[in-house]
Amino acid sequence: SRPYLAHPSQGIPHDLDIMYELWRVPRYNMRNKFIASAGILDLISQLPEGEAKASMEAQCDRIKKWYEQLAAQYHAEKAENPNNTMAFN
């Protein structure tokens, strides 16, 4: 699963809209002549059950929670920041 599909409220669908408007494709091609990419969550799900898999799932959960907090802060503050200067201050 891809996080941007599970959490559209985080604003990432806007990036997908841009990609579609520029190239008329709904998503990037994960394998092409320049790159071969994979989703980390998909790779972790394929691991055998055990300590390594559990550790990686826990790390993904921590990252997801942190990202959700940052996304919530961004969306809460963006109305007061029409020039989107948060990243540069």
Side-chain angles (χ1 to χ4, degrees), residues 4-80:
Y4 62 80
L5 296 177
H7 302 286
S9 64
Q10 294 173 339
I12 294 173
H14 178 70
D15 296 344
L16 299 177
D17 289 341
I18 292 170
M19 185 166 45
Y20 182 77
E21 287 298 318
L22 290 173
W23 297 292
R24 294 292 179 209
V25 294
R27 53 177 285 185
Y28 71 94
N29 188 5
M30 293 181 74
R31 292 192 179 277
N32 58 58
K33 73 178 190 176
F34 299 107
I35 64 165
S37 62
I40 189 72
L41 299 178
D42 294 334
L43 295 174
I44 292 171
S45 72
Q46 296 172 17
L47 292 173
E49 295 301 323
E51 187 176 325
K53 182 176 182 177
S55 175
M56 289 182 197
E57 289 172 334
Q59 179 68 3
C60 286
D61 287 342
R62 286 189 294 274
I63 292 169
K64 180 181 168 186
K65 287 177 185 172
W66 186 45
Y67 184 87
E68 288 172 353
Q69 290 172 351
L70 291 172
Q73 178 183 353
Y74 168 77
H75 289 291
E77 295 177 10
K78 73 179 179 181
E80 298 170 5

